[in-house]
């Protein structure tokens, strides 16, 4: 009964009607949340297993056609979990198990979509400082991090389309939070951030996957700068959501909740 229910809800997650997709996401999340509470906040493996079975059935029935819509639904459910800290940790473990299972089944085309949910969580956890003395000199060590294209104010006005903002790029940026006492994370008044801007010798896309870096610039942001930066990012996200022709109320609610109640672990129903 549970498997059939999950199958029908997942089908709704690929609906062409956005309101149907949103309601299906809420229903699926609440189903997992209820299972999570039933196990005294230890796991929701029963619901997770039924969802995996339902996804496999959808693939077998060639019903997994609305790929982009299904991906959007996954992100909505992920946003629900991100605002629910106790469930977020368990959801990460189950997603990892799902990736391993898909890898063994050689369903590589599905792994990338699930990995998009896992990588940002690990990015927030990663250690930015490396003690070189602790590294074995017999091996070459590579530190992997996530970067995004960097544009100054002039470039942002010139590069208006998605194509222009994803092609012919040679500057990238990544950020590392830190505090003066030495911890990565702290309260608002002691949170600093190091912004590193890298310039490559050639522009992406390129004939090679790896391009040499010929210039590096580091900018240290003070707590007031970090707070201002966060406000700008949140404002831009809200403007993008509100300016669309069909406003996604579920996404808007999540963004507003994240802006107003960032310190409160109230869950998506706050």
């Amino acid at each position: 009964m549970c498997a059939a229910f999950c199958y029908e809800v997942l089908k709704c997650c690929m609906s062409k009607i956005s309101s149907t997709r949103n309601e299906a996401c809420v229903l699926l999340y609440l189903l997992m949340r209820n299972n999570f509470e039933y196990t005294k906040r230890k796991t929701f493996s029963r619901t997770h297993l039924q969802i995996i079975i339902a996804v496999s059935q959808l693939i077998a029935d060639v019903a997994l056609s609305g790929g982009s819509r299904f991906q959007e639904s996954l992100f909505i459910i992920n946003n629900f979990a991100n605002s629910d800290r106790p469930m977020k940790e368990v959801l990460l473990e189950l997603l990892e198990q799902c990736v391993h299972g898909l890898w063994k089944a050689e369903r590589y085309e599905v792994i990338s979509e699930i990995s998009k949910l896992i990588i940002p969580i690990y990015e927030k956890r990663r250690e930015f400082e490396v003690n070189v003395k602790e590294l074995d000199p017999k091996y070459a060590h590579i530190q992997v991090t996530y970067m995004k294209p960097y544009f100054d104010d002039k470039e942002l006005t010139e590069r208006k389309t998605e194509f222009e903002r994803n092609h012919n790029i040679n500057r990238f940026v990544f950020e590392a939070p830190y505090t003066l006492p030495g911890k990565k994370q702290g309260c608002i008044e002691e949170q600093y951030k190091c912004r590193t801007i890298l310039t490559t010798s050639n522009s992406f896309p390129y004939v090679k996957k790896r391009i040499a870096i010929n210039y590096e610039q580091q900018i240290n942001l003070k707590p007031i700068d970090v707070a201002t930066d966060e406000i700008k990012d949140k404002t831009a996200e809200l403007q993008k959501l509100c300016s669309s022709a069909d406003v996604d109320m579920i996404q808007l609610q999540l963004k507003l909740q994240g802006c107003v109640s960032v310190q409160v672990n109230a869950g998506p129903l706050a």
Side-chain angles (χ1 to χ4, degrees):
M1 189 71 177
C2 183
F5 179 73
C6 290
Y7 179 84
E8 295 301 325
V9 174
L10 280 171
K11 282 177 66 177
C12 293
C13 286
M14 297 179 290
S15 171
K16 294 181 180 180
I17 304 172
S18 60
S19 59
T20 301
R21 292 198 306 272
N22 291 335
E23 290 173 4
C25 292
V26 173
L27 186 58
L28 200 59
Y29 170 79
L30 291 176
L31 183 65
M32 291 187 289
R33 194 66 172 83
N34 186 61
N35 189 196
F36 185 60
E37 291 292 344
Y38 182 77
T39 61
K40 298 181 180 179
R41 298 194 169 194
K42 293 180 180 179
T43 183
F44 51 94
S45 56
R46 180 182 177 183
T47 307
H48 176 260
L49 176 62
Q50 298 302 331
I51 291 173
I52 296 300
I53 293 173
V55 170
S56 302
Q57 187 63 45
L58 284 170
I59 295 172
D61 295 344
V62 200
L64 201 60
S65 55
S68 60
R69 296 191 295 273
F70 188 67
Q71 179 183 339
E72 180 186 339
S73 297
L74 284 177
F75 277 113
I76 292 174
I77 297 170
N78 181 58
N79 285 335
F80 279 137
N82 282 339
S83 63
D84 191 346
R85 193 172 302 167
M87 190 171 172
K88 177 180 178 180
E89 299 300 321
V90 179
L91 182 61
L92 176 61
E93 294 175 6
L94 293 175
L95 284 172
E96 289 173 339
Q97 294 173 16
C98 183
V99 169
H100 289 307
L102 290 169
W103 183 271
K104 290 181 180 179
E106 299 183 355
R107 295 306 306 244
Y108 306 117
E109 73 281 5
V110 185
I111 293 175
S112 62
E113 302 303 331
I114 299 176
S115 298
K116 289 177 183 178
L117 304 178
I118 301 176
I119 291 173
I121 300 173
Y122 274 118
E123 283 295 324
K124 291 181 180 179
R125 292 181 177 180
R126 71 188 187 276
E127 294 291 339
F128 296 97
E129 298 298 329
V130 177
N131 189 348
V132 180
K133 295 180 181 179
E134 296 179 356
L135 301 179
D136 192 333
K138 293 186 298 183
Y139 302 99
H141 298 271
I142 299 175
Q143 185 175 3
V144 180
T145 188
Y146 167 79
M147 291 188 295
K148 58 184 179 181
Y150 175 77
F151 306 112
D152 55 30
D153 293 337
K154 182 182 177 182
E155 284 182 303
L156 282 174
T157 57
E158 294 174 349
R159 295 175 181 257
K160 297 181 179 180
T161 66
E162 286 296 319
F163 178 84
E164 291 172 330
R165 294 188 180 187
N166 288 279
H167 289 76
N168 195 28
I169 301 167
N170 72 332
R171 288 201 296 174
F172 301 86
V173 62
F174 69 91
E175 297 173 339
Y178 70 95
T179 61
L180 295 182
K183 296 181 180 179
K184 289 192 302 180
Q185 303 288 346
C187 53
I188 296 174
E189 60 269 18
E190 60 182 20
Q191 185 66 65
Y192 289 74
K193 186 163 62 175
C194 178
R195 177 176 294 159
T196 304
I197 302 171
L198 304 176
T199 305
T200 56
S201 55
N202 292 289
S203 298
F204 281 96
Y206 193 58
V207 291
K208 295 181 179 178
K209 292 183 178 180
R210 292 182 290 181
I211 303 177
I213 296 170
N214 57 11
Y215 182 70
E216 177 179 330
Q217 178 188 6
Q218 286 191 342
I219 303 171
N220 288 296
L221 303 180
K222 297 179 180 179
I224 185 64
D225 300 317
V226 174
T228 303
D229 209 40
E230 291 292 329
I231 292 172
K232 286 181 179 178
D233 290 342
K234 292 294 182 182
T235 303
E237 291 175 2
L238 288 172
Q239 286 177 335
K240 185 177 180 181
L241 276 172
C242 295
S243 61
S244 61
D246 184 16
V247 179
D248 190 330
M249 298 306 296
I250 299 292
Q251 288 282 9
L252 182 58
Q253 179 187 356
L254 290 170
K255 294 297 180 185
L256 285 172
Q257 181 180 318
C259 294
V260 178
S261 307
V262 292
Q263 300 291 338
V264 180
N265 181 27
L269 299 180

